[in-house]
């Protein structure tokens, strides 16, 4: 390929990435809200729901021209929309320049999955099955079509390696998750001072606010027998008042002393808390399936590396957050973005890393 067509293809890769990024934004908004990705077909403003005409929906350009505001209602459009388009465009370009075209196309699919998973997880602490299970299937199919992904010389061998790596990813995290539950089954949080809290039901879920920290009720309960204890100085359940008590919550009911209330009959609980004990999930189930998808595309070494690099990155970010005083006690921390980070590093630098590492292990 001569130089000018190589440059032309690079431009095409970037523009394609920006356009795909724009589509990924739709998925990031709609998938966790269970709105269909192609219905309504047109993008709409999240604030005023006005449909966005195509000339205001050009990737990268429109956000800049409109200065991050909706053209009909003037509401701010999150920087995330621009950021996702730019990130996807740059990653598409980098993949195009790094890899032979067959692998590049497979990695374009993979990177799209990583981007959606990362941004959904950051906002909602979940990774939808369409992304994780769909991604695992996509990885196995891609490995069959492009056996080089698995360093295999036959399609069948690539397919088997991909499926085994997906299984490995799932099983490893499953062990960590179950082990973590035994090691830190629950987490005690002593509040600095008696802190007001509210629990407000809306539909099947509730907002749970302690001091400044707001969270969704459903985030705390992964299993039926999980319980959350709230040591209160005073509490009010709808119109009933209580003094110093421990509220013992299960996902569907709360017990105070000998009394029990079904949460779907309660509208609001409020009071002042001293201490809470939360059932702690090291990871959500989505992370297991997400790592399976990573394995299906990157193979077993990619699985191990993503866990390693993801844990290192997660610890650094977690420690920094603690140091700058942003208290983190939420039951779930998103792990998906860190796994995705590890996967991207592996994709580009994995071979070099292995080479470098084995120089130390077995110097020749
Ligand atoms: Zn609007």
């Amino acid at each position: 390929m001569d130089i000018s067509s190589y440059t032309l293809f690079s431009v095409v890769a970037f523009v394609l990435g920006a356009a795909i990024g724009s589509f990924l934004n739709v998925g990031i908004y709609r998938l966790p809200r269970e709105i269909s990705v192609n219905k309504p077909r047109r993008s709409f403003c999240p604030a005023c729901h006005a449909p966005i005409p195509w000339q205001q929906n050009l990737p990268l350009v429109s956000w800049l021209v409109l200065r991050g505001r909706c053209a009909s209602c003037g509401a701010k459009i999150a920087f995330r929309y621009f950021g996702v388009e730019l990130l996807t465009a740059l990653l598409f370009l980098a993949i195009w320049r790094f890899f032979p075209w067959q692998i590049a196309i497979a990695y374009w699919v993979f990177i799209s999955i990583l981007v959606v998973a990362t941004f959904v997880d950051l906002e909602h602490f979940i990774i939808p099955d369409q992304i994780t299970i769909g991604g695992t299937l996509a990885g196995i199919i891609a490995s069959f079509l492009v056996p080089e992904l698995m360093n295999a010389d036959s399609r069948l061998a690539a397919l088997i390696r991909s499926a085994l790596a997906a299984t490995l990813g799932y099983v490893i995290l499953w062990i960590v998750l179950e082990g973590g539950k035994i090691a830190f089954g629950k987490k005690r949080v002593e509040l600095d001072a008696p802190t007001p809290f509210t629990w407000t039901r809306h539909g099947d879920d509730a907002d749970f606010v302690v001091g400044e920290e707001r969270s969704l009720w459903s985030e705390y309960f992964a299993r039926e027998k999980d319980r959350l204890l709230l040591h209160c100085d005073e509490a009010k359940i709808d119109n009933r008042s209580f003094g110093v008590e421990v509220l013992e919550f299960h996902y569907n009911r709360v017990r105070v002393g000998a009394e029990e209330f079904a949460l779907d009959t309660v509208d609001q609980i409020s009071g002042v808390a001293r201490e809470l004990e939360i059932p702690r999930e090291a990871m959500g189930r989505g992370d297991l399936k997400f790592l399976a998808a990573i394995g299906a595309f990157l193979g077993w070494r990619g699985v191990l590396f993503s866990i390693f690099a993801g844990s290192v990155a997660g610890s650094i970010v977690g420690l920094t957050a603690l140091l700058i005083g942003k208290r983190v006690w939420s039951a779930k921390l998103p792990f998906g973005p860190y796994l995705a980070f590890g996967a991207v590093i592996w994709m580009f630098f994995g071979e070099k890393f292995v080479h470098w590492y084995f120089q130390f292990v077995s110097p020749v």
Side-chain angles (χ1 to χ4, degrees), residues 226-243:
D226 284 345
R227 43 176 220 163
L228 180 150
L229 300 180
L230 203 52
H231 300 254
C232 300
D233 284 353
E234 55 186 81
K236 212 172 160 199
I237 298 179
D238 282 339
N239 298 319
R240 297 280 311 280
S241 295
F242 299 90

Side-chain angles (χ1 to χ4, degrees), residues 13-30 57-61 63-64 77-93 108 111-123:
F14 183 87
V15 173
L16 178 68
I20 297 285
S22 174
F23 175 71
L24 299 182
N25 270 322
V26 176
I28 291 165
Y29 182 81
R30 295 188 187 186
N57 204 11
L58 296 173
L60 297 173
V61 181
W63 194 89
L64 290 175
I77 297 167
F79 176 75
R80 190 203 80 209
Y81 285 89
F82 181 81
V84 165
E85 288 165 359
L86 183 63
L87 179 69
T88 312
L90 290 174
L91 286 167
F92 265 54
L93 175 62
W108 281 349
I111 208 76
S112 303
I113 290 164
L114 295 183
V115 168
V116 175
T118 295
F119 287 90
V120 172
D121 200 13
L122 280 176
E123 198 175 328

